Amino acid sequence: MNEPLFVAFSTQKGGAGKTTLTVLMASYFHYVKGYNVAVIDCDFPQFSIKDLRERDLKNVENNPYLKKIAFEQFKRLNKRAYPVLESRPEEAIHTAKRLLASETPPEIIFFDLPGTINNLGVIKTIATMDYIFCPIAADRIVMESSLKFAGIVNDTLVSTGQSNIKGLYLLWNMVDGREKTNLYKVYETIAAEMGIQVMKTFLPDSKRFRKEGSVDEDRVLFRSTILPPDRILAKGSNINKLAEEMLTLLKQ
């Protein structure tokens, strides 16, 4: 990647998994794939990723097991944890420029955007993204909201050329293996008619996506800003497949 990329998992439907996906992919790209990554938490006012980083630091500091793992990782990779900065949505690009002017500028900046497009500042920030990945689930309410969001972004920003957006993709998240595949085909047909591409990779519905570190427990981690998803927990999660498909798209 010659130029730094601005990437966002974005949708206006709460609970679709955009914050969790931002953390998982940022950690995977930074700690596993070797890219220099940064995260800008623009999800005002809760700043969930910034809060998660603070919990992660506390857990590593007070849990000998996690401290050992984090120290071994630092020695192996010779790189620190990626920066997590909070920012109001309308100020996010200025925050990104500060990161890019640092001694070790990130190659990829992930933005965790708020779930609204009614704010001009949010729209301007979305328009500055290079790639947007919109998580979707086979639920009527989620799909209607997500397709509406993706449709507005596609019609007003991507198709018109009035943005930096090079790619807008829908991503199946929280997929229940017991559901009928016909339901997914119907929604994918609708997306295709709208001119929006659906990624090949899907992520299963699993409690592992909510696993964090703990001060008083010695256990493997899945969602962390300081460590990558544990290899054992990552099996069957399709996190590695998602990262590879994203890299293919980002390098186009």
Side-chain angles (χ1 to χ4, degrees), residues 120-162:
L120 182 59
V122 175
I123 295 174
K124 288 182 177 179
T125 300
I126 289 175
T128 313
M129 295 299 102
D130 292 298
Y131 294 89
I132 294 178
F133 298 90
C134 179
I136 55 176
D139 173 273
R140 181 174 179 178
I141 295 177
V142 174
M143 285 303 303
E144 287 181 353
S145 177
S146 300
L147 287 175
K148 180 180 179 181
F149 168 82
I152 292 173
V153 172
N154 188 55
D155 294 342
T156 62
L157 297 177
V158 180
S159 299
T160 61
Q162 297 182 15

Side-chain angles (χ1 to χ4, degrees), residues 4-21:
L5 296 176
F6 292 179
V7 178
F9 289 95
S10 185
T11 180
Q12 64 181 2
K13 184 68 182 73
K18 64 183 181 65
T19 297
T20 293
L21 288 171

Side-chain angles (χ1 to χ4, degrees), residues 8-249:
F9 289 95
S10 185
T11 180
Q12 64 181 2
K13 184 68 182 73
K18 64 183 181 65
T19 297
T20 293
L21 288 171
T22 301
V23 172
L24 288 173
M25 285 297 99
S27 295
Y28 196 91
F29 274 59
H30 190 75
Y31 303 121
V32 178
K33 301 303 291 183
Y35 291 94
N36 289 325
V37 167
V39 171
I40 299 179
D41 187 351
C42 319
D43 198 3
F44 176 83
Q46 57 263 36
F47 295 125
S48 301
I49 298 180
K50 183 68 172 178
D51 287 347
L52 175 59
R53 166 55 62 85
E54 292 174 359
R55 293 197 301 274
D56 284 339
L57 289 172
K58 180 180 178 181
N59 291 339
V60 168
E61 178 64 27
N62 294 288
N63 186 316
Y65 172 76
L66 295 179
K67 182 182 289 188
K68 178 176 180 292
I69 297 298
F71 178 71
E72 290 176 348
Q73 173 179 270
F74 174 75
K75 285 204 310 181
R76 184 176 70 255
L77 301 180
N78 193 29
K79 64 191 302 187
R80 297 181 180 276
Y82 55 81
V84 176
L85 303 181
E86 66 179 54
S87 171
R88 286 180 174 269
E90 61 272 18
E91 300 170 354
I93 302 306
H94 294 293
T95 303
K97 289 179 180 178
R98 293 205 315 268
L99 284 168
L100 295 176
S102 64
E103 185 176 343
T104 307
E107 298 166 275
I108 305 173
I109 301 180
F110 287 92
F111 294 74
D112 189 30
L113 300 173
T116 178
I117 52 175
N118 296 326
N119 181 293
L120 182 59
V122 175
I123 295 174
K124 288 182 177 179
T125 300
I126 289 175
T128 313
M129 295 299 102
D130 292 298
Y131 294 89
I132 294 178
F133 298 90
C134 179
I136 55 176
D139 173 273
R140 181 174 179 178
I141 295 177
V142 174
M143 285 303 303
E144 287 181 353
S145 177
S146 300
L147 287 175
K148 180 180 179 181
F149 168 82
I152 292 173
V153 172
N154 188 55
D155 294 342
T156 62
L157 297 177
V158 180
S159 299
T160 61
Q162 297 182 15
S163 72
N164 292 339
I165 301 172
K166 303 175 182 66
L168 169 64
Y169 304 95
L170 299 178
L171 165 65
W172 284 116
N173 191 28
M174 297 181 284
V175 173
D176 188 336
R178 298 168 298 179
E179 292 176 340
K180 296 180 179 179
T181 56
N182 287 342
L183 183 62
Y184 292 89
K185 291 180 180 178
V186 168
Y187 286 133
E188 289 185 0
T189 299
I190 295 173
E193 292 173 351
M194 296 172 63
I196 303 174
Q197 185 176 337
V198 180
M199 297 183 72
K200 296 177 182 178
T201 305
F202 69 88
L203 300 179
D205 187 14
S206 172
K207 292 181 180 179
R208 78 185 85 182
F209 287 90
R210 295 178 286 277
K211 275 187 175 291
E212 292 183 16
S214 174
V215 172
D216 54 3
E217 291 184 83
D218 290 354
R219 64 177 185 177
V220 292
L221 305 181
F222 192 71
R223 184 177 63 182
S224 170
T225 65
I226 294 180
L227 297 167
D230 177 78
R231 291 182 180 180
I232 295 176
L233 287 178
K235 290 183 178 179
S237 71
N238 287 348
I239 288 297
N240 59 330
K241 293 180 181 179
L242 176 59
E244 294 303 327
E245 185 173 0
M246 285 181 63
L247 276 176
T248 299
L249 296 172

